[in-house]
Amino acid sequence: MDAGSENPRGGEADEPGWEVDPDDESGAAVVAAVGRQLKVWREAAGLRAAELGAAIGYGEDLVYKVEGGRRIPRPEFLDRADEVLGAGGKLASMKPDVAEVRYPKKVRSLAKMEARSVELCLYSNHNIHGLLQTEEHMRALFTGWLPAYSADEMERMVAARMARRTIFERSPAPELSFVQEEVTLRRPVGGTMVWRQQLEHLLEVGQLRNVAIQVMPTSREEHPGTGGLIEVLKFPDGTAVGRSEGAFSGRPVSDPKQLRILELRYGMIRAHALTPRESLAFIEQVLGET
């Protein structure tokens, strides 16, 4: 369920805004509605697309693409169009809806689940979990993926992952438990400075009262996490959803019996890992070695 596996292909890096995902019907509907409103206000103002583009600092082609629901406009596009067309805030008021659909559909679904969760249990064995990554670390990871992301895709991925970090600011705060394999701390993603900043960020987040970060030393001979990542999200009504690369074909599950298996594995992983206090000391040690 971590968004690190999302792959929103299709975007033009030379144009402001984001390409519409053709498989995202609900998102495409929002963008189409915004485009229709923009066209209505432009025609009511007696402006051609080229004139509106010139007035707000964008090209005629982009105006047509936004009106046609083929391009997701940036917030500043809607602000300028609202002012020039005298829409009285009606175009600008659509910014929250547009801001949400600019993220890949699967990322939006994950963010919504995280937003209503009361407890998260997260074991990562290849990379530092997305919720714990710094922006520079994210960019370095995405840069290394193949086929390469365009600049437009990169911005969408980073923005989506950064938006999910608001979970640390929620009140009441959810309980967040992370177990990271030692190798994820020792891989110098992005070079020494980015690596150091990432370790410092882990130490900072690990001090939060509702966050527990544990490290699984490579010296542990075996543990239940060798099958791959594990994620379990629990909700206020007692329901939950979980996923593991090593169980149930990697698909999300909500059946209590299946969740029990994931929770049992995660509990054993935590038992094999260093304690939160020992883990912070370990991260400090790694930081000192960089």
Side-chain angles (χ1 to χ4, degrees), residues 6 18 35 39 42 46-47 62 75 92 94 97 102-103 116 126 128 147 180 182 191 195 199-200 212-213 223 242 281:
E6 306 313 326
W18 299 271
K39 185 176 182 180
R42 176 178 64 78
L47 295 179
L62 178 62
M94 297 179 176
D97 295 326
R102 79 188 223 191
Y103 306 137
R116 66 186 184 91
H126 292 307
I128 291 174
Q180 291 286 154
E182 177 183 341
W195 182 22
L199 294 173
E200 291 169 350
I213 297 178
H223 64 80

Side-chain angles (χ1 to χ4, degrees), residues 10-21:
E12 301 174 39
D14 59 340
E15 292 186 3
W18 299 271
E19 199 74 17
V20 177
D21 182 354

Side-chain angles (χ1 to χ4, degrees), residues 104-161:
K105 184 177 180 179
K106 290 180 66 176
V107 178
R108 297 203 307 271
S109 299
L110 175 59
K112 288 179 180 178
M113 287 193 294
E114 290 175 345
R116 66 186 184 91
S117 64
V118 294
E119 182 179 353
L120 281 77
C121 304
L122 309 159
Y123 164 69
S124 301
N125 60 342
H126 292 307
N127 295 309
I128 291 174
H129 194 276
L131 290 175
L132 294 175
Q133 294 172 9
T134 65
E135 180 175 347
E136 293 76 14
H137 185 100
M138 297 173 197
R139 291 184 182 279
L141 279 179
F142 295 147
T143 298
W145 287 6
L146 292 175
Y149 283 126
S150 68
D152 181 71
E153 293 169 330
M154 177 80 76
E155 291 307 313
R156 291 187 71 179
M157 291 295 293
V158 171
R161 189 164 289 188

Side-chain angles (χ1 to χ4, degrees), residues 18-36 65-73 94-106 108-109 112 156:
W18 299 271
E19 199 74 17
V20 177
D21 182 354
D23 296 325
D24 183 3
E25 294 182 2
S26 60
V30 170
V31 178
V34 172
R36 287 194 296 271
K65 285 185 176 180
V66 172
E67 290 184 349
R70 301 191 306 277
R71 196 75 176 170
I72 304 173
M94 297 179 176
K95 288 190 296 182
D97 295 326
V98 172
E100 181 177 343
V101 301
R102 79 188 223 191
Y103 306 137
K105 184 177 180 179
K106 290 180 66 176
R108 297 203 307 271
S109 299
K112 288 179 180 178
R156 291 187 71 179

Side-chain angles (χ1 to χ4, degrees), residues 1-2 4-5 123-127 129 181 224-232 242-253 262 265 269:
M1 294 180 296
D2 184 18
S5 61
Y123 164 69
S124 301
N125 60 342
H126 292 307
N127 295 309
H129 194 276
E181 283 288 341
T226 54
L229 69 81
I230 295 176
E231 299 178 311
V232 178
R243 182 174 74 92
S244 172
E245 291 176 341
F248 316 118
S249 302
R251 69 181 187 278
V253 297
L262 298 186
R265 292 183 181 182
I269 290 172

